Structures are given as C-alpha cells and as structure tokens.
Amino acid sequence: MTTIGRRHLVPALAGLGCGALIAVVTVMVGPHQQPVPPQPDPTTLAGPMIIGPPPPDPAGTPDQGSPLLLPLPPPVPVPPPAPTPPQVPVPPPVPVPPVLSGPAGQVLAITNVQRRAAGCGPLKVDPRLMRAAQRHSQDMATRGYFSHTTPNGTGWDAREISAGYPEDKTGGENIAYGQATAAIVMNVWMHSPPHRQNILSCEFTTIGIGYYPPGHYWTQDFGY
C-alpha cells in the first residue's frame, strides 16, 4: 500500500464517498415506475354510494331495533243503527168515572140483580173494559153505525185487547141504541136470547159499561 498524504486522502475519500452516494442514490431512485391504481371495492359496484344517514324504513316494515308488535285482529264492523219505527197515533183516552153512577151505574145494578137470581156471582167493574165500552158507544154515535165491528174492521175482542185487557180473558159484548133509560135497555137485552146469555153467563167475572147520551148508544163488554 502506498502511503498517501492526508491532503490526498481526503479527496479520495471524498470522491469515494461521492461515488458511493451516487450509487446509493441511483439504486434508491432508479427508473421511475407508474403507481398501480387502487382496485374498486366490489361491494360498491352494485350501485351508487349512500352518503348521510340511512333512509327511513318503508311503511309497514318493523324497526329491527325496536320490539316487534303483536298482530291485532281486525275491528269488528258496527252495524248501522236501526231506523226508528214510525209512531202510531194513539187515540185520546176516554175518561172513566172512579165509581159508576147515572145510567151506567143503573145498568150494572140491574145486571147483577139478574145474575143473582140466576145463581151467578156479581160482575166487577174493570177500567179497561169500561174504556173499551165507552169508546165503542161514542164511536158508533159519532160515525153513524151500529155494529160489533167498526167500519175499519175492528171487532169487539180486538177493541178490548186494544184497551189493555188480556187477550185470553176477553168474553163478549152487548150493544143497543135508542133506549132512553137503563131499565128500558136492560128489558130489551133480557128478552133477546143472545144478550140474555151474556148477562147470565156465570163464567164472566168482569164488565165494562159505555153510554153515550146523543142517540142513547149502549155497550156492555164482558171478560173472564
């Protein structure tokens, strides 16, 4: 090895160092290579990316984070209210005296006398039969007819029931017109077999008597 002075050694080392540095730099830098572009995420190829909060769930889809609601049965349909039936006009009530007096009271007294003679019990006054009998006497006089059946076709039993008397207790009926007193009309009825039979029927227990002075219309309604 040849001895090299300090002055010559430094440039040599310096040159060596520069060569080494160049070599290093050349190795580190080398030829320039294009960077590989990032491959797209396969999951993003199905559609556009969503930015922001997730959209609300469609209506009817339960929230997975909340408890499930139990299914409820469908509501029971409520039927519409039934129409109100038309109101049937009710005829005004016929006033009935609390105690029979006058011609009606006299007819009752004579009737019970005749029943006692035939061995039957006395008839008791029933306010419902009184109402039916008085209505019929007044109706015959005001509408000008004489019959057990009204011009509308209503019979004596239907009239007793309409006055509130039990359907299975209706008995019979006597009518008359033109007799001015109770004694006269009772004499006519007692001499007529069908009317006499009603008066003396021991099965009858109740009676109603109607008298309308204009025209002297009389009615006896019987019941069991």
Side-chain angles (χ1 to χ4, degrees), residues 103-140:
Q106 296 171 13
V107 168
L108 175 63
I110 299 173
T111 297
N112 281 334
V113 168
Q114 296 292 340
R115 287 175 62 85
R116 188 183 306 114
C120 299
L123 296 174
K124 297 180 180 179
V125 176
D126 187 282
R128 296 164 294 185
L129 295 180
M130 287 293 300
R131 189 158 44 243
Q134 186 62 36
R135 284 177 179 174
H136 191 52
S137 292
Q138 182 173 341
D139 189 54
M140 287 190 295

PDB file of all heavy atoms in Angstrom, residues 103-140:
ATOM      1  N   PRO A 103    -176.740   6.428  34.335  1.00  0.00           N
ATOM      2  CA  PRO A 103    -177.265   5.298  33.558  1.00  0.00           C
ATOM      3  C   PRO A 103    -176.345   4.074  33.586  1.00  0.00           C
ATOM      4  O   PRO A 103    -176.823   2.943  33.682  1.00  0.00           O
ATOM      5  CB  PRO A 103    -177.402   5.877  32.158  1.00  0.00           C
ATOM      6  CG  PRO A 103    -177.545   7.345  32.346  1.00  0.00           C
ATOM      7  CD  PRO A 103    -176.681   7.674  33.524  1.00  0.00           C
ATOM      8  N   ALA A 104    -174.999   4.264  33.489  1.00  0.00           N
ATOM      9  CA  ALA A 104    -174.084   3.116  33.507  1.00  0.00           C
ATOM     10  C   ALA A 104    -174.149   2.389  34.840  1.00  0.00           C
ATOM     11  O   ALA A 104    -174.156   1.145  34.883  1.00  0.00           O
ATOM     12  CB  ALA A 104    -172.656   3.581  33.216  1.00  0.00           C
ATOM     13  N   GLY A 105    -174.218   3.136  35.935  1.00  0.00           N
ATOM     14  CA  GLY A 105    -174.334   2.515  37.249  1.00  0.00           C
ATOM     15  C   GLY A 105    -175.641   1.758  37.405  1.00  0.00           C
ATOM     16  O   GLY A 105    -175.683   0.691  38.042  1.00  0.00           O
ATOM     17  N   GLN A 106    -176.712   2.273  36.833  1.00  0.00           N
ATOM     18  CA  GLN A 106    -178.007   1.585  36.914  1.00  0.00           C
ATOM     19  C   GLN A 106    -177.991   0.276  36.111  1.00  0.00           C
ATOM     20  O   GLN A 106    -178.564  -0.737  36.532  1.00  0.00           O
ATOM     21  CB  GLN A 106    -179.108   2.512  36.400  1.00  0.00           C
ATOM     22  CG  GLN A 106    -179.304   3.762  37.255  1.00  0.00           C
ATOM     23  CD  GLN A 106    -180.239   4.767  36.616  1.00  0.00           C
ATOM     24  OE1 GLN A 106    -180.946   4.452  35.645  1.00  0.00           O
ATOM     25  NE2 GLN A 106    -180.267   5.990  37.141  1.00  0.00           N
ATOM     26  N   VAL A 107    -177.343   0.284  34.945  1.00  0.00           N
ATOM     27  CA  VAL A 107    -177.226  -0.949  34.163  1.00  0.00           C
ATOM     28  C   VAL A 107    -176.459  -2.004  34.956  1.00  0.00           C
ATOM     29  O   VAL A 107    -176.832  -3.197  34.971  1.00  0.00           O
ATOM     30  CB  VAL A 107    -176.551  -0.666  32.820  1.00  0.00           C
ATOM     31  CG1 VAL A 107    -176.149  -1.965  32.126  1.00  0.00           C
ATOM     32  CG2 VAL A 107    -177.459   0.142  31.912  1.00  0.00           C
ATOM     33  N   LEU A 108    -175.395  -1.608  35.641  1.00  0.00           N
ATOM     34  CA  LEU A 108    -174.614  -2.552  36.436  1.00  0.00           C
ATOM     35  C   LEU A 108    -175.466  -3.134  37.562  1.00  0.00           C
ATOM     36  O   LEU A 108    -175.430  -4.360  37.807  1.00  0.00           O
ATOM     37  CB  LEU A 108    -173.379  -1.847  37.011  1.00  0.00           C
ATOM     38  CG  LEU A 108    -172.520  -2.698  37.963  1.00  0.00           C
ATOM     39  CD1 LEU A 108    -171.937  -3.899  37.235  1.00  0.00           C
ATOM     40  CD2 LEU A 108    -171.415  -1.844  38.598  1.00  0.00           C
ATOM     41  N   ALA A 109    -176.211  -2.299  38.229  1.00  0.00           N
ATOM     42  CA  ALA A 109    -177.041  -2.787  39.345  1.00  0.00           C
ATOM     43  C   ALA A 109    -178.089  -3.789  38.861  1.00  0.00           C
ATOM     44  O   ALA A 109    -178.266  -4.857  39.466  1.00  0.00           O
ATOM     45  CB  ALA A 109    -177.691  -1.599  40.044  1.00  0.00           C
ATOM     46  N   ILE A 110    -178.782  -3.473  37.776  1.00  0.00           N
ATOM     47  CA  ILE A 110    -179.813  -4.389  37.268  1.00  0.00           C
ATOM     48  C   ILE A 110    -179.168  -5.686  36.766  1.00  0.00           C
ATOM     49  O   ILE A 110    -179.726  -6.789  36.964  1.00  0.00           O
ATOM     50  CB  ILE A 110    -180.621  -3.711  36.153  1.00  0.00           C
ATOM     51  CG1 ILE A 110    -181.324  -2.459  36.684  1.00  0.00           C
ATOM     52  CG2 ILE A 110    -181.615  -4.666  35.543  1.00  0.00           C
ATOM     53  CD1 ILE A 110    -182.010  -1.632  35.619  1.00  0.00           C
ATOM     54  N   THR A 111    -178.013  -5.586  36.137  1.00  0.00           N
ATOM     55  CA  THR A 111    -177.325  -6.782  35.635  1.00  0.00           C
ATOM     56  C   THR A 111    -176.993  -7.730  36.779  1.00  0.00           C
ATOM     57  O   THR A 111    -177.229  -8.952  36.689  1.00  0.00           O
ATOM     58  CB  THR A 111    -176.046  -6.381  34.885  1.00  0.00           C
ATOM     59  OG1 THR A 111    -176.387  -5.594  33.739  1.00  0.00           O
ATOM     60  CG2 THR A 111    -175.267  -7.611  34.442  1.00  0.00           C
ATOM     61  N   ASN A 112    -176.460  -7.213  37.867  1.00  0.00           N
ATOM     62  CA  ASN A 112    -176.065  -8.070  38.986  1.00  0.00           C
ATOM     63  C   ASN A 112    -177.297  -8.637  39.718  1.00  0.00           C
ATOM     64  O   ASN A 112    -177.229  -9.744  40.267  1.00  0.00           O
ATOM     65  CB  ASN A 112    -175.166  -7.303  39.955  1.00  0.00           C
ATOM     66  CG  ASN A 112    -173.715  -7.212  39.440  1.00  0.00           C
ATOM     67  OD1 ASN A 112    -173.261  -8.070  38.659  1.00  0.00           O
ATOM     68  ND2 ASN A 112    -172.999  -6.186  39.860  1.00  0.00           N
ATOM     69  N   VAL A 113    -178.404  -7.904  39.689  1.00  0.00           N
ATOM     70  CA  VAL A 113    -179.638  -8.448  40.276  1.00  0.00           C
ATOM     71  C   VAL A 113    -180.096  -9.663  39.479  1.00  0.00           C
ATOM     72  O   VAL A 113    -180.474 -10.716  40.036  1.00  0.00           O
ATOM     73  CB  VAL A 113    -180.738  -7.371  40.339  1.00  0.00           C
ATOM     74  CG1 VAL A 113    -182.099  -7.996  40.663  1.00  0.00           C
ATOM     75  CG2 VAL A 113    -180.400  -6.309  41.387  1.00  0.00           C
ATOM     76  N   GLN A 114    -180.085  -9.558  38.186  1.00  0.00           N
ATOM     77  CA  GLN A 114    -180.491 -10.667  37.337  1.00  0.00           C
ATOM     78  C   GLN A 114    -179.519 -11.855  37.488  1.00  0.00           C
ATOM     79  O   GLN A 114    -179.958 -13.025  37.484  1.00  0.00           O
ATOM     80  CB  GLN A 114    -180.546 -10.217  35.874  1.00  0.00           C
ATOM     81  CG  GLN A 114    -181.584  -9.164  35.573  1.00  0.00           C
ATOM     82  CD  GLN A 114    -183.007  -9.709  35.708  1.00  0.00           C
ATOM     83  OE1 GLN A 114    -183.235 -10.919  35.664  1.00  0.00           O
ATOM     84  NE2 GLN A 114    -183.957  -8.810  35.886  1.00  0.00           N
ATOM     85  N   ARG A 115    -178.265 -11.594  37.655  1.00  0.00           N
ATOM     86  CA  ARG A 115    -177.282 -12.674  37.818  1.00  0.00           C
ATOM     87  C   ARG A 115    -177.478 -13.377  39.161  1.00  0.00           C
ATOM     88  O   ARG A 115    -177.355 -14.613  39.239  1.00  0.00           O
ATOM     89  CB  ARG A 115    -175.847 -12.108  37.705  1.00  0.00           C
ATOM     90  CG  ARG A 115    -175.441 -11.714  36.282  1.00  0.00           C
ATOM     91  CD  ARG A 115    -174.063 -11.056  36.275  1.00  0.00           C
ATOM     92  NE  ARG A 115    -173.025 -11.977  36.753  1.00  0.00           N
ATOM     93  CZ  ARG A 115    -172.392 -12.863  35.980  1.00  0.00           C
ATOM     94  NH1 ARG A 115    -172.727 -12.973  34.687  1.00  0.00           N
ATOM     95  NH2 ARG A 115    -171.459 -13.629  36.486  1.00  0.00           N
ATOM     96  N   ARG A 116    -177.768 -12.610  40.176  1.00  0.00           N
ATOM     97  CA  ARG A 116    -178.007 -13.221  41.474  1.00  0.00           C
ATOM     98  C   ARG A 116    -179.220 -14.137  41.429  1.00  0.00           C
ATOM     99  O   ARG A 116    -179.203 -15.242  42.010  1.00  0.00           O
ATOM    100  CB  ARG A 116    -178.185 -12.148  42.536  1.00  0.00           C
ATOM    101  CG  ARG A 116    -178.244 -12.713  43.963  1.00  0.00           C
ATOM    102  CD  ARG A 116    -178.495 -11.623  45.004  1.00  0.00           C
ATOM    103  NE  ARG A 116    -177.528 -10.546  44.890  1.00  0.00           N
ATOM    104  CZ  ARG A 116    -177.853  -9.302  44.532  1.00  0.00           C
ATOM    105  NH1 ARG A 116    -179.107  -9.006  44.217  1.00  0.00           N
ATOM    106  NH2 ARG A 116    -176.925  -8.366  44.467  1.00  0.00           N
ATOM    107  N   ALA A 117    -180.239 -13.716  40.699  1.00  0.00           N
ATOM    108  CA  ALA A 117    -181.438 -14.565  40.572  1.00  0.00           C
ATOM    109  C   ALA A 117    -181.138 -15.838  39.797  1.00  0.00           C
ATOM    110  O   ALA A 117    -181.800 -16.880  40.012  1.00  0.00           O
ATOM    111  CB  ALA A 117    -182.554 -13.778  39.901  1.00  0.00           C
ATOM    112  N   ALA A 118    -180.149 -15.808  38.915  1.00  0.00           N
ATOM    113  CA  ALA A 118    -179.780 -16.985  38.131  1.00  0.00           C
ATOM    114  C   ALA A 118    -178.717 -17.826  38.822  1.00  0.00           C
ATOM    115  O   ALA A 118    -178.292 -18.863  38.272  1.00  0.00           O
ATOM    116  CB  ALA A 118    -179.286 -16.557  36.761  1.00  0.00           C
ATOM    117  N   GLY A 119    -178.299 -17.404  40.013  1.00  0.00           N
ATOM    118  CA  GLY A 119    -177.299 -18.170  40.760  1.00  0.00           C
ATOM    119  C   GLY A 119    -175.866 -17.844  40.386  1.00  0.00           C
ATOM    120  O   GLY A 119    -174.956 -18.628  40.702  1.00  0.00           O
ATOM    121  N   CYS A 120    -175.622 -16.714  39.735  1.00  0.00           N
ATOM    122  CA  CYS A 120    -174.254 -16.307  39.342  1.00  0.00           C
ATOM    123  C   CYS A 120    -173.753 -15.210  40.268  1.00  0.00           C
ATOM    124  O   CYS A 120    -174.527 -14.441  40.846  1.00  0.00           O
ATOM    125  CB  CYS A 120    -174.234 -15.819  37.900  1.00  0.00           C
ATOM    126  SG  CYS A 120    -174.741 -17.053  36.691  1.00  0.00           S
ATOM    127  N   GLY A 121    -172.449 -15.098  40.376  1.00  0.00           N
ATOM    128  CA  GLY A 121    -171.831 -14.051  41.175  1.00  0.00           C
ATOM    129  C   GLY A 121    -171.899 -12.702  40.479  1.00  0.00           C
ATOM    130  O   GLY A 121    -172.067 -12.620  39.252  1.00  0.00           O
ATOM    131  N   PRO A 122    -171.760 -11.621  41.241  1.00  0.00           N
ATOM    132  CA  PRO A 122    -171.821 -10.287  40.636  1.00  0.00           C
ATOM    133  C   PRO A 122    -170.578 -10.017  39.778  1.00  0.00           C
ATOM    134  O   PRO A 122    -169.496 -10.554  40.023  1.00  0.00           O
ATOM    135  CB  PRO A 122    -171.864  -9.363  41.847  1.00  0.00           C
ATOM    136  CG  PRO A 122    -171.190 -10.120  42.939  1.00  0.00           C
ATOM    137  CD  PRO A 122    -171.519 -11.571  42.703  1.00  0.00           C
ATOM    138  N   LEU A 123    -170.784  -9.177  38.786  1.00  0.00           N
ATOM    139  CA  LEU A 123    -169.678  -8.760  37.920  1.00  0.00           C
ATOM    140  C   LEU A 123    -168.958  -7.575  38.546  1.00  0.00           C
ATOM    141  O   LEU A 123    -169.584  -6.667  39.096  1.00  0.00           O
ATOM    142  CB  LEU A 123    -170.195  -8.394  36.537  1.00  0.00           C
ATOM    143  CG  LEU A 123    -170.830  -9.529  35.728  1.00  0.00           C
ATOM    144  CD1 LEU A 123    -171.426  -8.968  34.432  1.00  0.00           C
ATOM    145  CD2 LEU A 123    -169.817 -10.616  35.427  1.00  0.00           C
ATOM    146  N   LYS A 124    -167.632  -7.564  38.430  1.00  0.00           N
ATOM    147  CA  LYS A 124    -166.824  -6.465  38.925  1.00  0.00           C
ATOM    148  C   LYS A 124    -166.458  -5.547  37.758  1.00  0.00           C
ATOM    149  O   LYS A 124    -166.159  -6.013  36.654  1.00  0.00           O
ATOM    150  CB  LYS A 124    -165.555  -6.976  39.599  1.00  0.00           C
ATOM    151  CG  LYS A 124    -165.833  -7.826  40.841  1.00  0.00           C
ATOM    152  CD  LYS A 124    -164.530  -8.306  41.456  1.00  0.00           C
ATOM    153  CE  LYS A 124    -164.801  -9.154  42.695  1.00  0.00           C
ATOM    154  NZ  LYS A 124    -163.534  -9.643  43.303  1.00  0.00           N
ATOM    155  N   VAL A 125    -166.475  -4.271  38.039  1.00  0.00           N
ATOM    156  CA  VAL A 125    -166.138  -3.288  37.003  1.00  0.00           C
ATOM    157  C   VAL A 125    -164.626  -3.316  36.749  1.00  0.00           C
ATOM    158  O   VAL A 125    -163.823  -3.247  37.686  1.00  0.00           O
ATOM    159  CB  VAL A 125    -166.599  -1.884  37.416  1.00  0.00           C
ATOM    160  CG1 VAL A 125    -166.158  -0.851  36.376  1.00  0.00           C
ATOM    161  CG2 VAL A 125    -168.105  -1.847  37.600  1.00  0.00           C
ATOM    162  N   ASP A 126    -164.256  -3.423  35.486  1.00  0.00           N
ATOM    163  CA  ASP A 126    -162.846  -3.383  35.087  1.00  0.00           C
ATOM    164  C   ASP A 126    -162.618  -2.094  34.294  1.00  0.00           C
ATOM    165  O   ASP A 126    -163.336  -1.848  33.316  1.00  0.00           O
ATOM    166  CB  ASP A 126    -162.486  -4.600  34.232  1.00  0.00           C
ATOM    167  CG  ASP A 126    -160.989  -4.678  33.940  1.00  0.00           C
ATOM    168  OD1 ASP A 126    -160.512  -3.930  33.054  1.00  0.00           O
ATOM    169  OD2 ASP A 126    -160.312  -5.477  34.593  1.00  0.00           O
ATOM    170  N   PRO A 127    -161.649  -1.273  34.692  1.00  0.00           N
ATOM    171  CA  PRO A 127    -161.447   0.004  33.988  1.00  0.00           C
ATOM    172  C   PRO A 127    -161.072  -0.179  32.518  1.00  0.00           C
ATOM    173  O   PRO A 127    -161.381   0.678  31.688  1.00  0.00           O
ATOM    174  CB  PRO A 127    -160.328   0.682  34.778  1.00  0.00           C
ATOM    175  CG  PRO A 127    -159.649  -0.421  35.525  1.00  0.00           C
ATOM    176  CD  PRO A 127    -160.701  -1.433  35.819  1.00  0.00           C
ATOM    177  N   ARG A 128    -160.409  -1.271  32.168  1.00  0.00           N
ATOM    178  CA  ARG A 128    -160.045  -1.487  30.766  1.00  0.00           C
ATOM    179  C   ARG A 128    -161.277  -1.795  29.918  1.00  0.00           C
ATOM    180  O   ARG A 128    -161.417  -1.286  28.799  1.00  0.00           O
ATOM    181  CB  ARG A 128    -159.021  -2.627  30.674  1.00  0.00           C
ATOM    182  CG  ARG A 128    -157.711  -2.302  31.368  1.00  0.00           C
ATOM    183  CD  ARG A 128    -156.878  -3.544  31.604  1.00  0.00           C
ATOM    184  NE  ARG A 128    -157.510  -4.442  32.558  1.00  0.00           N
ATOM    185  CZ  ARG A 128    -156.959  -5.565  33.026  1.00  0.00           C
ATOM    186  NH1 ARG A 128    -155.754  -5.924  32.595  1.00  0.00           N
ATOM    187  NH2 ARG A 128    -157.593  -6.334  33.894  1.00  0.00           N
ATOM    188  N   LEU A 129    -162.180  -2.603  30.479  1.00  0.00           N
ATOM    189  CA  LEU A 129    -163.431  -2.878  29.760  1.00  0.00           C
ATOM    190  C   LEU A 129    -164.326  -1.652  29.732  1.00  0.00           C
ATOM    191  O   LEU A 129    -165.069  -1.433  28.757  1.00  0.00           O
ATOM    192  CB  LEU A 129    -164.155  -4.060  30.407  1.00  0.00           C
ATOM    193  CG  LEU A 129    -163.440  -5.417  30.317  1.00  0.00           C
ATOM    194  CD1 LEU A 129    -164.264  -6.511  30.997  1.00  0.00           C
ATOM    195  CD2 LEU A 129    -163.162  -5.781  28.867  1.00  0.00           C
ATOM    196  N   MET A 130    -164.273  -0.844  30.770  1.00  0.00           N
ATOM    197  CA  MET A 130    -165.022   0.418  30.758  1.00  0.00           C
ATOM    198  C   MET A 130    -164.525   1.317  29.628  1.00  0.00           C
ATOM    199  O   MET A 130    -165.331   1.945  28.923  1.00  0.00           O
ATOM    200  CB  MET A 130    -164.862   1.131  32.097  1.00  0.00           C
ATOM    201  CG  MET A 130    -165.620   0.504  33.257  1.00  0.00           C
ATOM    202  SD  MET A 130    -167.425   0.645  33.067  1.00  0.00           S
ATOM    203  CE  MET A 130    -167.631   2.412  32.998  1.00  0.00           C
ATOM    204  N   ARG A 131    -163.211   1.353  29.461  1.00  0.00           N
ATOM    205  CA  ARG A 131    -162.633   2.175  28.397  1.00  0.00           C
ATOM    206  C   ARG A 131    -163.060   1.666  27.031  1.00  0.00           C
ATOM    207  O   ARG A 131    -163.440   2.456  26.148  1.00  0.00           O
ATOM    208  CB  ARG A 131    -161.110   2.175  28.545  1.00  0.00           C
ATOM    209  CG  ARG A 131    -160.387   3.135  27.650  1.00  0.00           C
ATOM    210  CD  ARG A 131    -158.996   3.481  28.185  1.00  0.00           C
ATOM    211  NE  ARG A 131    -158.281   2.318  28.667  1.00  0.00           N
ATOM    212  CZ  ARG A 131    -157.898   2.145  29.929  1.00  0.00           C
ATOM    213  NH1 ARG A 131    -158.203   3.056  30.841  1.00  0.00           N
ATOM    214  NH2 ARG A 131    -157.233   1.062  30.301  1.00  0.00           N
ATOM    215  N   ALA A 132    -163.022   0.345  26.826  1.00  0.00           N
ATOM    216  CA  ALA A 132    -163.412  -0.229  25.534  1.00  0.00           C
ATOM    217  C   ALA A 132    -164.890   0.021  25.252  1.00  0.00           C
ATOM    218  O   ALA A 132    -165.279   0.372  24.117  1.00  0.00           O
ATOM    219  CB  ALA A 132    -163.104  -1.722  25.521  1.00  0.00           C
ATOM    220  N   ALA A 133    -165.768  -0.140  26.255  1.00  0.00           N
ATOM    221  CA  ALA A 133    -167.213   0.025  26.054  1.00  0.00           C
ATOM    222  C   ALA A 133    -167.570   1.475  25.779  1.00  0.00           C
ATOM    223  O   ALA A 133    -168.377   1.786  24.882  1.00  0.00           O
ATOM    224  CB  ALA A 133    -167.958  -0.488  27.289  1.00  0.00           C
ATOM    225  N   GLN A 134    -166.975   2.395  26.519  1.00  0.00           N
ATOM    226  CA  GLN A 134    -167.297   3.811  26.328  1.00  0.00           C
ATOM    227  C   GLN A 134    -166.801   4.305  24.964  1.00  0.00           C
ATOM    228  O   GLN A 134    -167.494   5.078  24.291  1.00  0.00           O
ATOM    229  CB  GLN A 134    -166.683   4.642  27.453  1.00  0.00           C
ATOM    230  CG  GLN A 134    -167.058   6.112  27.439  1.00  0.00           C
ATOM    231  CD  GLN A 134    -168.556   6.317  27.612  1.00  0.00           C
ATOM    232  OE1 GLN A 134    -169.222   5.574  28.358  1.00  0.00           O
ATOM    233  NE2 GLN A 134    -169.113   7.319  26.946  1.00  0.00           N
ATOM    234  N   ARG A 135    -165.637   3.841  24.552  1.00  0.00           N
ATOM    235  CA  ARG A 135    -165.125   4.228  23.233  1.00  0.00           C
ATOM    236  C   ARG A 135    -166.056   3.747  22.122  1.00  0.00           C
ATOM    237  O   ARG A 135    -166.315   4.483  21.163  1.00  0.00           O
ATOM    238  CB  ARG A 135    -163.722   3.641  23.026  1.00  0.00           C
ATOM    239  CG  ARG A 135    -162.599   4.346  23.761  1.00  0.00           C
ATOM    240  CD  ARG A 135    -161.300   3.612  23.527  1.00  0.00           C
ATOM    241  NE  ARG A 135    -160.179   4.270  24.196  1.00  0.00           N
ATOM    242  CZ  ARG A 135    -158.934   3.750  24.233  1.00  0.00           C
ATOM    243  NH1 ARG A 135    -158.684   2.587  23.642  1.00  0.00           N
ATOM    244  NH2 ARG A 135    -157.968   4.397  24.859  1.00  0.00           N
ATOM    245  N   HIS A 136    -166.572   2.522  22.272  1.00  0.00           N
ATOM    246  CA  HIS A 136    -167.400   1.974  21.199  1.00  0.00           C
ATOM    247  C   HIS A 136    -168.749   2.693  21.125  1.00  0.00           C
ATOM    248  O   HIS A 136    -169.240   2.981  20.016  1.00  0.00           O
ATOM    249  CB  HIS A 136    -167.615   0.475  21.406  1.00  0.00           C
ATOM    250  CG  HIS A 136    -168.226  -0.202  20.225  1.00  0.00           C
ATOM    251  ND1 HIS A 136    -167.728  -0.087  18.943  1.00  0.00           N
ATOM    252  CD2 HIS A 136    -169.339  -0.997  20.113  1.00  0.00           C
ATOM    253  CE1 HIS A 136    -168.459  -0.775  18.103  1.00  0.00           C
ATOM    254  NE2 HIS A 136    -169.469  -1.339  18.783  1.00  0.00           N
ATOM    255  N   SER A 137    -169.348   3.003  22.271  1.00  0.00           N
ATOM    256  CA  SER A 137    -170.618   3.740  22.251  1.00  0.00           C
ATOM    257  C   SER A 137    -170.432   5.098  21.595  1.00  0.00           C
ATOM    258  O   SER A 137    -171.241   5.526  20.756  1.00  0.00           O
ATOM    259  CB  SER A 137    -171.158   3.906  23.678  1.00  0.00           C
ATOM    260  OG  SER A 137    -171.546   2.657  24.209  1.00  0.00           O
ATOM    261  N   GLN A 138    -169.360   5.778  21.941  1.00  0.00           N
ATOM    262  CA  GLN A 138    -169.098   7.095  21.366  1.00  0.00           C
ATOM    263  C   GLN A 138    -168.755   6.987  19.883  1.00  0.00           C
ATOM    264  O   GLN A 138    -169.183   7.833  19.082  1.00  0.00           O
ATOM    265  CB  GLN A 138    -167.957   7.759  22.138  1.00  0.00           C
ATOM    266  CG  GLN A 138    -167.627   9.166  21.672  1.00  0.00           C
ATOM    267  CD  GLN A 138    -166.610   9.837  22.580  1.00  0.00           C
ATOM    268  OE1 GLN A 138    -166.413   9.415  23.726  1.00  0.00           O
ATOM    269  NE2 GLN A 138    -165.955  10.866  22.073  1.00  0.00           N
ATOM    270  N   ASP A 139    -168.027   5.951  19.491  1.00  0.00           N
ATOM    271  CA  ASP A 139    -167.643   5.793  18.088  1.00  0.00           C
ATOM    272  C   ASP A 139    -168.857   5.497  17.213  1.00  0.00           C
ATOM    273  O   ASP A 139    -168.967   6.039  16.096  1.00  0.00           O
ATOM    274  CB  ASP A 139    -166.620   4.664  17.968  1.00  0.00           C
ATOM    275  CG  ASP A 139    -166.009   4.590  16.578  1.00  0.00           C
ATOM    276  OD1 ASP A 139    -165.486   5.618  16.092  1.00  0.00           O
ATOM    277  OD2 ASP A 139    -166.055   3.505  15.964  1.00  0.00           O
ATOM    278  N   MET A 140    -169.765   4.652  17.699  1.00  0.00           N
ATOM    279  CA  MET A 140    -170.967   4.354  16.917  1.00  0.00           C
ATOM    280  C   MET A 140    -171.802   5.614  16.707  1.00  0.00           C
ATOM    281  O   MET A 140    -172.357   5.843  15.616  1.00  0.00           O
ATOM    282  CB  MET A 140    -171.800   3.269  17.617  1.00  0.00           C
ATOM    283  CG  MET A 140    -171.220   1.877  17.535  1.00  0.00           C
ATOM    284  SD  MET A 140    -172.365   0.591  18.124  1.00  0.00           S
ATOM    285  CE  MET A 140    -172.513   1.033  19.863  1.00  0.00           C
TER     286      MET A 140
END
